[in-house]
Amino acid sequence: MHVLVHGGAGSEPDEPAPRQAVLDDAAAAGATEEDPQAAVCTAVRRLEADPQFNAGVGSVVQSDGRIRTDAGLMTGDGESGAACAMPGIEHAVAVARVVKTATPHVLLAGERAVTLASEHGIGTDCDLWTAKTRERWDRVDPPDDLTARLAWVREQFGQGHDTVGAVATDGEGLAAATSTGGRWFALAGRVGDVPQVGAGFYATETAAVSTTGDGEAIARFGLARRVADAVDDGERPRHAARRVLRGFASATGGDAGVIVVDREGRVGRVTNAATMQTAAED
Ligand code: ASP
């Protein structure tokens, strides 16, 4: 099994070494699984459980002081599932998997997604706060008035990164998964690229892709799908990721990171942000 994981594109983390250790561990855990879907879910679950990343425990906070998580999952057979805007859900990727495997839908949102999670034995009412997120939230005071609040969101929003993702192949099938808490101080209810098919994640018969970075720009551009399409058209993953990301940057002015694997296990990992930590395991 080839597994590649990322811990988000953005500024240099204060302490990269402990984050890298968790990413290495997540990739190794994924590689022990029997199929690509299980591999990406296992890898992402490890990262969601670690407070150093903006997914599950350690997720960022929205403008109403609540944490909501999102995730998406797709396999090379074209099947996908995603779940978003979920309070109290640590393992958003597990909910995405339930949406993919147990419902006829591609995306479930909010309290109904939480109910579905609970009905499938996934932990709900999880405490996703860390001392660091509490401290940061305590330092701000979003206005109650709508106009003022929107202005506040415009000013504050955008500092999120450390979203997590994984791609995997066993030489036959492929899978991609991405999970996040979104971006700091986004308007309550905001959903970014991560649970949108073709934006935060995508998989085909030849490639699996997970993205991270400026979510609105990634969603408008359809970043994950464009990279997968390029590999489908015969481009090598590394080259495809690099070329498409350049096009993304010039079209949107945004920052992003991409990981991609093809069926031969060839990978691409590229970012135009300051950094994106990754780990791979064969
Ligand atoms: N793309 C994520 C979002 O906008 C953030 C990230 O990748 O760190 O929700």
Side-chain angles (χ1 to χ4, degrees):
M1 186 79 68
H2 302 274
V3 182
L4 176 60
V5 303
H6 72 74
S11 51
E12 297 283 349
D14 293 340
E15 293 181 40
R19 295 172 94 256
Q20 189 60 48
V22 179
L23 288 162
D24 292 345
D25 183 53
T32 64
E33 293 290 353
E34 300 234 306
D35 62 76
Q37 174 168 282
V40 295
C41 289
T42 295
V44 166
R45 282 181 72 98
R46 289 277 170 118
L47 299 169
E48 288 173 334
D50 191 289
Q52 297 177 100
F53 299 96
N54 171 18
V57 178
S59 286
V60 303
V61 184
Q62 294 196 325
S63 66
D64 60 349
R66 297 192 79 186
I67 294 173
R68 296 177 178 87
T69 56
D70 311 326
L73 166 70
M74 188 162 183
T75 42
D77 58 4
E79 294 295 320
S80 71
C84 67
M86 298 180 292
I89 294 284
E90 176 179 349
H91 293 300
V93 74
V95 191
R97 188 177 185 163
V98 167
V99 173
K100 174 179 181 287
T101 55
T103 82
H105 307 303
V106 295
L107 175 60
L108 226 63
E111 71 183 70
R112 289 299 169 187
V114 174
T115 304
L116 183 79
S118 158
E119 286 166 350
H120 282 78
I122 296 165
T124 58
D125 285 328
C126 306
D127 181 5
L128 307 179
W129 288 84
T130 65
K132 262 192 178 166
T133 46
R134 176 69 61 200
E135 216 176 87
R136 192 160 172 185
W137 172 250
D138 284 347
R139 284 203 304 267
V140 299
D141 188 14
D144 288 335
D145 170 74
L146 177 62
T147 311
R149 191 162 72 247
L150 283 171
W152 182 87
V153 164
R154 279 185 188 283
E155 205 174 281
Q156 298 283 333
F157 167 70
Q159 301 152 346
H161 42 81
D162 307 334
T163 284
V164 305
V167 293
T169 184
D170 57 3
E172 288 177 15
L174 288 126
T178 310
S179 180
T180 192
R183 298 180 79 183
W184 270 103
F185 307 134
L187 194 62
R190 176 262 188 187
V191 175
D193 57 310
V194 167
Q196 297 192 49
V197 189
F201 67 103
Y202 202 67
T204 67
E205 280 180 359
T206 55
V209 183
S210 170
T211 69
T212 167
D214 293 340
E216 276 68 13
I218 292 171
R220 289 186 190 108
F221 191 78
L223 183 59
R225 180 160 190 162
R226 290 205 199 202
V227 174
D229 284 349
V231 177
D232 283 354
D233 288 344
E235 217 170 328
R236 290 176 75 92
R238 219 173 63 158
H239 187 259
R242 210 171 284 275
R243 185 184 59 73
V244 174
L245 188 67
R246 263 202 308 270
F248 165 83
S250 68
T252 69
D255 283 349
V258 173
I259 60 169
V260 49
V261 68
D262 71 5
R263 215 165 44 184
E264 281 75 54
R266 296 179 302 188
V267 300
R269 36 181 143 181
V270 57
T271 185
N272 65 335
T275 193
M276 176 177 69
Q277 286 183 282
T278 64
E281 186 83 27
D282 288 323

